Amino acid sequence: SRGSEFLGTWINTKNPNDTFQIVRNGDQYLIVSKDSKVGATYEKGMLEINGMLGATDLTYDKKKGTILAPGFLGQLEYERKK
């Protein structure tokens, strides 16, 4: 189903302590980390998180099987936990 490529546990490729899990929440998604839970919606092939600082998009890279997310110092890449 649409958006299922995002489901699972993801680990930052450069910082293994930075992890989060994406689970389905009805028609939407929850992104769960150690300290927080945030809702997201599936839009145009991306997961869109609406936060206090505006919207953030998580992009799934089909070739590499990773999720790309914006970070303070450039893009962050997460790989699926094996």
Side-chain angles (χ1 to χ4, degrees):
S1 63
R2 59 186 220 116
S4 59
E5 65 271 20
F6 287 97
L7 297 174
T9 301
W10 299 88
I11 302 170
N12 185 323
T13 56
K14 294 191 172 74
N15 176 5
N17 296 320
D18 177 13
T19 67
F20 61 87
Q21 184 180 16
I22 299 178
V23 295
R24 210 179 280 284
N25 184 29
D27 289 341
Q28 299 190 331
Y29 296 83
L30 271 180
I31 299 170
V32 183
S33 64
K34 282 186 300 226
D35 307 322
S36 66
K37 280 183 188 173
V38 61
T41 54
Y42 187 77
E43 299 286 336
K44 301 181 202 115
M46 296 182 281
L47 280 190
E48 188 173 274
I49 306 160
N50 286 306
M52 289 185 294
L53 301 172
T56 302
D57 290 327
L58 298 183
T59 306
Y60 182 75
D61 182 334
K62 286 185 182 130
K63 279 188 186 149
K64 293 170 83 177
T66 58
I67 286 179
L68 302 175
F72 293 114
L73 303 170
Q75 211 164 44
L76 302 174
E77 187 174 30
Y78 293 84
E79 60 190 2
R80 192 180 300 274
K81 185 176 179 182
K82 295 179 173 64

